[in-house]
């Protein structure tokens, strides 16, 4: 974190990979210990496949955000072990066959730090989240809404989520709405939520609205 601060840069200005126009495709590589974000597309389309995005420095304060892409962007067969917002659902994106290890300061699914994500849909299939870390001041949440006025939908079909210190949802402001469904899931967390449960949470898990730390509706 100190590198961009000393050089008077904001983190998104020095991403390892950044798309400023057109379509960017990244495959079969490892991004290790970035000076800032791993991959950023903002409104531009980015496709990543069979990549590892790793921060070995401990996570805290490193700005090592994982992936951000515009409408139609995809993540497939990737591994993330990094210390910031991992998958940013700011636009309509699809994530398949992907694993996220929660280290210090990790947030697997970030809904946004501003109004820009309003209307975004994140579609996930075969998602694995593991580890015992996370962003402590958000209860080590899997899905986090940090700041802004927005209505975001998260649909996850097929997942294994296990974190003995984790929670499922953190919404920090009343101006947030979370919609969607988690199906075909095995989830084992400390609890459903930590300190922050503001906004409107319409997410269903395994077909129910009951808020628990543990769910199991994997296909038999």
């Amino acid at each position: 974190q100190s590198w961009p601060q000393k050089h008077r840069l904001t983190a998104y200005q020095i991403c390892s990979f950044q798309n400023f126009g057109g379509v960017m495709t990244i495959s079969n590589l490892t991004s290790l210990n970035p000076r800032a974000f791993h991959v950023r597309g903002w409104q531009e389309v980015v496709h990543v496949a069979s990549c590892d995005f790793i921060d070995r420095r401990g996570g805290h304060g490193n700005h090592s955000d994982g992936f951000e892409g515009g409408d139609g962007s995809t993540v497939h067969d990737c591994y993330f072990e990094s210390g910031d917002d991992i998958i940013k659902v700011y636009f309509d994106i699809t994530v398949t066959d992907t694993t996220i290890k929660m280290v210090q300061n990790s947030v697997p699914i970030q809904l946004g730090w501003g109004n820009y994500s309003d209307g975004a849909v994140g579609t996930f299939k075969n998602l694995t989240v593991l580890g015992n870390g996370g962003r402590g001041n958000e209860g080590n949440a899997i899905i986090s809404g940090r700041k802004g006025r927005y209505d975001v939908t998260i649909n996850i079909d097929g997942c294994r989520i296990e974190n003995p210190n984790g929670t499922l949802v953190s919404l920090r402001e009343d101006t947030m709405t979370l919609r969607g469904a988690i199906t075909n899931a095995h989830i084992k967390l400390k609890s459903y939520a930590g300190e922050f449960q503001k906004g409107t949470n319409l997410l269903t898990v395994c077909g129910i609205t009951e808020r628990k730390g543990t769910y199991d509706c994997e296909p038999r």
Side-chain angles (χ1 to χ4, degrees):
Q1 188 180 45
S2 64
W3 197 95
Q5 289 173 343
K6 287 177 181 177
H7 291 78
R8 297 183 180 180
L9 295 170
T10 53
Y12 69 80
Q13 293 176 306
I14 51 171
C15 305
S16 295
F17 300 91
Q18 185 158 356
N19 187 9
F20 295 97
V23 176
M24 174 182 282
T25 299
I26 306 166
S27 61
N28 300 312
L29 59 78
T30 295
S31 175
L32 178 64
N33 295 341
R35 287 190 296 194
F37 300 176
H38 288 282
V39 180
R40 182 176 189 263
W42 186 235
Q43 295 179 335
E44 306 298 336
V45 176
V46 182
H47 301 299
V48 297
S50 302
C51 295
D52 295 335
F53 300 97
I54 297 171
D55 184 341
R56 296 291 192 204
R57 299 163 297 189
H60 180 70
N62 292 334
H63 288 320
S64 51
D65 300 57
F67 177 86
E68 173 194 303
D71 287 343
S73 295
T74 63
V75 176
H76 174 68
D77 185 34
C78 289
Y79 176 79
F80 293 86
E81 184 179 336
S82 207
D84 220 310
D85 301 330
I86 303 299
I87 303 293
K88 304 181 184 186
V89 183
Y90 298 169
F91 301 94
D92 294 353
I93 66 169
T94 299
V95 178
T96 54
D97 300 333
T98 288
T99 295
I100 299 170
K101 182 176 180 181
M102 294 179 69
V103 296
Q104 186 179 23
N105 203 39
S106 290
V107 174
I109 301 173
Q110 175 60 253
L111 305 182
W113 293 72
N115 301 343
Y116 42 75
S117 59
D118 187 45
V121 178
T123 301
F124 296 77
K125 187 171 179 63
N126 299 330
L127 174 68
T128 299
V129 179
L130 49 85
N132 57 14
R135 185 168 296 157
N137 63 9
E138 295 182 33
N140 301 324
I142 306 300
I143 302 170
S144 170
R146 182 71 180 203
K147 182 179 180 181
R149 178 182 296 274
Y150 45 72
D151 189 323
V152 176
T153 299
I154 300 295
N155 292 317
I156 306 174
D157 180 18
C159 66
R160 292 189 65 83
I161 299 173
E162 294 191 7
N163 183 336
N165 302 310
T167 59
L168 189 60
V169 176
S170 172
L171 300 177
R172 292 179 68 109
E173 297 189 347
D174 290 332
T175 53
M176 300 170 177
T177 297
L178 171 63
R179 303 178 190 272
I182 301 176
T183 56
N184 298 318
H186 168 81
I187 299 173
K188 189 173 182 180
L189 299 167
K190 181 179 179 180
S191 61
Y192 185 91
E195 177 182 356
F196 299 103
Q197 276 300 287
K198 298 183 178 181
T200 301
N201 182 357
L202 304 175
L203 183 72
T204 63
V205 184
C206 293
I208 61 176
T209 57
E210 183 181 359
R211 299 180 180 182
K212 306 185 295 181
T214 300
Y215 301 86
D216 200 340
C217 56
E218 289 184 297
R220 299 299 181 186

